[in-house]
Amino acid sequence: MNTETLPLELYKANIGLQLRITRLLQESSHAWLEAAQQSSAAGMTETAARIESLSNSADWQALVTLPSGVFWRVFQEQLNGARATHQVTMRNQAAFVNGLQQALGSWQEAVSDAFAEAAGTAPFADALRQWAQPSASSPVAGQGKARK
């Protein structure tokens, strides 16, 4: 490779990064859609069971106490649903961040190789490596320090 092909190689690296990020966003959207479908299906099943239970009930006393009993059952189900949503959120976010880190690493390597081959020098990765390290003033770098 020479300096004439450098722009093409950089363009290819940037397009590759954009495509990987687009795919990560699509995968994340798909995971959210799947979680919403599962939640909806569970809600429909529970509602159908309640309707069936009411339809077949012949005990007036059971029907009178129904509102208080249903409240606590629904409350518990909502707590369980919130926990499940939290778990899905954490899994999806971790997968997205991991994929994004891999995509940026690959892009950084491709750009470094393109510059190195065009200039006929050692890889440019040393100059780019500083981008991967959080600066001392960034909030991310400060999180690793113990607070007194």
Side-chain angles (χ1 to χ4, degrees):
M1 179 186 344
N2 56 32
T3 56
E4 294 172 5
T5 61
L6 178 62
L8 176 63
E9 293 302 317
L10 293 176
Y11 182 74
K12 286 174 20 180
N14 289 336
I15 292 296
L17 176 62
Q18 289 176 357
L19 291 173
R20 286 187 70 180
I21 290 172
T22 299
R23 182 175 179 142
L24 286 170
L25 290 170
Q26 289 173 337
E27 289 171 352
S28 181
S29 296
H30 180 73
W32 280 109
L33 179 60
E34 190 174 287
Q37 287 174 332
Q38 289 174 353
S39 176
S40 175
M44 288 176 58
T45 301
E46 177 63 27
T47 301
R50 285 186 191 154
I51 291 171
E52 185 67 27
S53 164
L54 285 174
S55 298
N56 294 333
S57 179
D59 183 10
W60 281 98
Q61 289 182 343
L63 290 175
V64 169
T65 61
L66 185 66
S68 63
V70 169
F71 170 78
W72 289 112
R73 204 168 49 236
V74 169
F75 179 73
Q76 187 62 41
E77 289 170 7
Q78 291 298 321
L79 286 178
N80 291 339
R83 284 187 199 115
T85 300
H86 177 72
Q87 290 172 354
V88 168
T89 300
M90 297 305 291
R91 257 193 329 269
N92 287 348
Q93 191 65 23
F96 180 78
V97 168
N98 187 24
L100 187 59
Q101 287 174 336
Q102 290 174 359
L104 288 172
S106 296
W107 171 82
Q108 183 179 7
E109 185 177 323
V111 169
S112 174
D113 291 347
F115 275 116
E117 289 183 31
T121 61
F124 195 60
D126 292 334
L128 294 177
R129 193 168 290 127
Q130 68 184 349
W131 293 349
Q133 303 295 328
S135 69
S137 64
S138 77
V140 174
Q143 291 175 356
K145 298 179 182 176
R147 292 189 175 174
K148 294 182 182 180

